[in-house]
Amino acid sequence: MTEKPTFYITTPIYYPSGRLHIGNSYTTLACDAMARYKRLKGYDVHFLTGTDEHGQKIEKKAAELGMEPQAYVDKMADAIRDLWQLLGISNDQFIRTTDEAHEKAVQGIFQRLLDQGDIYLGEYEGWYSVSDEEYFTETQLSEVFRDESGKVIGGIAPSGHEVELVKEESYFFKLGKYAERLIDYYHSSEDVIIPGFRKNEMINNFIKPGLSDLAVSRTSFSWGVPVKSDPKHVIYVWIDALSNYITALGYPDQENEAFKKYWPADVHMIGKDISRFHMIYWPAILMALDLPLPKHIYAHGWIVMKDGKMSKSKGNVIYPETLIERYGLDAVRYYLLREMSQGNDTVFTPEDFITCINSELANDLGNLLNRTVAMINKYQNGSVKNYFDCVEEDQFEQNLKAFFDKEYSAYLESMEKMAFDQALDHLMAMVSRANKYIDETQPWILAKEADNKKLPVVLFYLAESLRFIGHLLRPFMINTPKEIFRQLGIEDEVSTDLSGLAFGHFPKESQVVSNGVPIFPRLDVEEEQAYILKEMTGKSNQDQSNSSRKLDDPDWDLESLNLDATIEFDDFIKTELKVAQVMDVAPVKGSNKLLRFRLDAGESVDRQILSGIAKYYPDHEALIGRKLIIVSNLKPRKMMGYWSQGMILSAESGKDLHLVFAPDESQNGALIG
Ligand code: MSP
């Protein structure tokens, strides 16, 4: 027997520092679709996922909860495992960076790089963001704060987190040495890096400006893998984390069966934010270890909300459990894999989610199955026979078959490229085509005319189309393909793989179920939208329902009563709000966010306020003369070398931001309150 070809696919390993939302879950879901597809195509698949459990962030989080880090990560890793089970993830292995074998292997990797001179001891000073666990150079910061002399005294990382200046003895990895080889690697085949534009991003943003050596140890915290020969240092989390892809296969034991069989990885699937780590650091480490490089690194985009990133503080996070509980596993898997297009961000909205289920799953797919099963019951007592290639076929059948053949090739091509949205486009095109075939052939007329020759052929073609579609859904959905096969009376189909799939291979005969139930009930758009919004924000339509109540209703205000509000009136009154008129405004050089305002707040001299609203007001000069509301007693603060005395009020609305204007007739300096 010939050995099966292998396919090794990995997800990033997740930080167990919080609950995973639909965004984090996407990477694992995408890998799962690919792993299932490859298994169906006859590959020996190894699908790895896991948790990235070391680092300062985890140490802090555990301390906040009064827990030992190990106890904390044990609990969180279990929750992540449970989530993957709920999402139907078919991983073959789950690695944790606190696994003993992994820790030992990481120490070994570090020591080897140290011994061979790829790592050396030095001193590091840089802008460090605890939340990102990353150092930034001044130019990488999205905002810098300076003192009067212009010296940088702080800043904000691209993630929005504040950075602090940290100086520590550190080991360094000679990253620069691998610059040329990295470029060669990117060009070694057309699709090593997917999508291709990330290649240029890596080259132009990081490699061309010069790769500085990478600090690969920390002394500022202890929750990590210690350097064996110098245990006051712990190994940088990214070296620890990235190594999981090989330690999971038994590395450093290169004779390990799993390692021999599966390395190099076929695909590292990641989110776009961790491209640099996977496309620069990881291949460079592998080069230093003299190991073959991954065949593909695929960075997908993010799932974002209308108002930007998902975040608890914005109240816009949506968890997979919430959606699965109400809409079922397959609807959630389908939607996420359908909506995300290769490499780009996707905006999640409750409307899109519900509309997608209604139109594609309930209407198109669900109705096709329902109508087919109902007609086979009605016209043929539930029996359907294979009439492929029989004399009664005419142009409708030929066209349908040709369409399926064409779309199937396109589906396979998209799957090979991991373009799941496109694969589902092709699949849905087949569903629509089969629905159109019903309209073309009008089986109810054939029945009326008692056409005993053509009618069984048409019903067979419909059943066969559904069998075909059921198979192609298998990488994406868990229960629906089985249910389609069950309703068609061909349960055994579920044990066949995709390699022999061909249109026409329906069993000789089958008996469909006598009462086919809808696979995706239609949802009420408004009701469900409100439900999802409530789950996201904790606010329900009911909460807002007092808007229609009359003021003379004695209880009208009780519904809005918020007893959890935390500040007293005396706290609020400390904030001084004033009307201030814009006398002049200009962008701040070197910042694409800040505008510098000169404002008349009714004081003896104008005051200056800096505000990060430049991108919302490209036409900022139009603001001259307008009256704004400012917080006038905030402690002055320096930004980009300028003093800012106060804050200008604005209202966030979705992706936009609007300044709050005071009425033109209000006096400059008038107190608000
Ligand atoms: N621990 C690192 C990865 C180490 S891999 C050697 C890490 N973990 S993470 O938990 O923060 O993120 C895991 C994955 O979730 C990343 O691929 C990240 O891009 C992805 N996502 C996080 N939020 C996301 C969305 N909103 N949408 C899509 N993917 C998102 O990074």
Side-chain angles (χ1 to χ4, degrees), residues 11-17 20-27 51-53 57 133 237-238 240-245 269-274 277-278 300-304 309-310 340 345-346:
T11 73
I13 48 173
Y14 292 84
Y15 290 130
S17 48
L20 301 188
H21 51 59
I22 54 167
N24 314 109
S25 307
Y26 175 78
T27 322
T51 38
D52 182 0
E53 303 185 353
K57 201 157 61 175
E133 284 174 335
V237 273
W238 275 97
D240 174 5
L242 289 162
S243 304
N244 93 87
Y245 301 133
M269 175 103 55
I270 56 169
K272 62 176 187 178
D273 56 314
I274 53 177
F277 302 96
H278 283 80
H300 61 71
W302 269 39
I303 296 181
V304 292
K309 261 190 182 179
M310 264 183 265
M340 184 79 104
D345 287 352
T346 294

